Amino acid sequence: MIGKLIIIAVGSAFINNVVLSQFLGICPFLGVSKKINTAAGMGGAVVFVITLASAVAGVIYKYLLVPFDITYLQTIVFILVIAALVQFVEMFLKKKMKGLYKALGVYLPLITTNCAVLGVALTNVQKDYSILEGVVNGFATAVGFLIAIVILAGLREKMEYNDIPKPFRGMPTVLLTACLLAIAFFGFSGLK
């Protein structure tokens, strides 16, 4: 059992990285990766939301949707769960971490529409994961997102001091960097 959980965790975080392999969650990945602090804050919020959403969605799916044969409502139910969790995170950050709340700005509510969060909940159902396996998959996927966004933020901070040709300044360089990062993570596919 532990071996399977480790395989799920490594696969979700590195081999099938949600941003660099599946290309889900690109909006906050590109938008919030200007500074390491805000990238880490967004990554932490995503870890919390995806992990909790995986647990809650798994319980609702297994004990409510399947027994009543209403699994066709899974997408709507998962979106409602995610929206509620993001509201909770937003209220917590607004009250306890005002600096991070302001730094994340519009990207914090965008976690609700972050396709990575919904993608993990749906993947857990499609792969027929147990609730524990789904939580491990969600946590590892979110950690993979955190790793990718912090690496990109670190690279972007270093690139600010480089003399980049005018046509490549800004988003073109960020996209090229993200592509190279995705190629680097592709190297983990040999671990399967």
Side-chain angles (χ1 to χ4, degrees):
M1 178 68 175
I2 292 185
K4 185 176 181 182
L5 294 177
I6 291 172
I7 289 170
I8 290 171
V10 170
S12 297
F14 298 108
I15 299 167
N16 297 316
N17 186 285
V18 71
V19 176
L20 301 173
S21 175
Q22 298 176 13
F23 306 111
L24 299 173
I26 296 290
C27 181
F29 177 69
L30 296 175
V32 185
S33 61
K34 292 178 183 168
K35 300 285 179 201
I36 291 177
N37 292 341
T38 55
M42 174 58 89
V46 168
V47 167
F48 178 78
V49 169
I50 289 182
T51 305
L52 224 55
S54 296
V56 173
V59 168
I60 289 173
Y61 184 80
K62 184 173 183 175
Y63 295 111
L64 186 66
L65 299 180
V66 171
F68 290 108
D69 196 29
I70 52 174
T71 56
Y72 57 88
L73 293 175
Q74 70 187 11
T75 304
I76 294 169
V77 171
F78 293 168
I79 289 171
L80 292 173
V81 166
I82 292 164
L85 290 172
V86 170
Q87 287 299 312
F88 173 73
V89 169
E90 190 173 6
M91 289 186 308
F92 175 79
L93 290 179
K94 190 174 186 178
K95 185 155 181 105
K96 300 288 184 185
M97 303 170 125
K98 292 179 182 177
L100 180 59
Y101 175 78
K102 286 184 179 184
L104 292 176
V106 71
Y107 292 101
L108 185 59
L110 282 179
I111 296 175
T112 303
T113 59
N114 186 341
C115 52
V117 183
L118 180 60
V120 170
L122 293 174
T123 298
N124 291 342
V125 169
Q126 290 171 350
K127 291 191 176 183
D128 201 27
Y129 284 155
S130 68
I131 294 172
L132 177 61
E133 291 169 345
V135 171
V136 168
N137 179 49
F139 178 76
T141 299
V143 168
F145 178 87
L146 173 67
I147 291 168
I149 197 170
V150 168
I151 290 172
L152 183 64
L155 292 171
R156 285 180 77 173
E157 281 187 5
K158 295 290 182 193
M159 286 187 297
E160 283 183 24
Y161 303 108
N162 293 339
D163 185 28
I164 298 171
K166 195 171 185 176
F168 289 103
R169 288 184 191 153
M171 197 50 71
T173 302
V174 174
L175 292 173
L176 287 171
T177 305
C179 289
L180 293 173
L181 196 55
I183 291 169
F185 268 68
F186 183 70
F188 289 118
S189 64
L191 294 175
K192 269 190 176 177

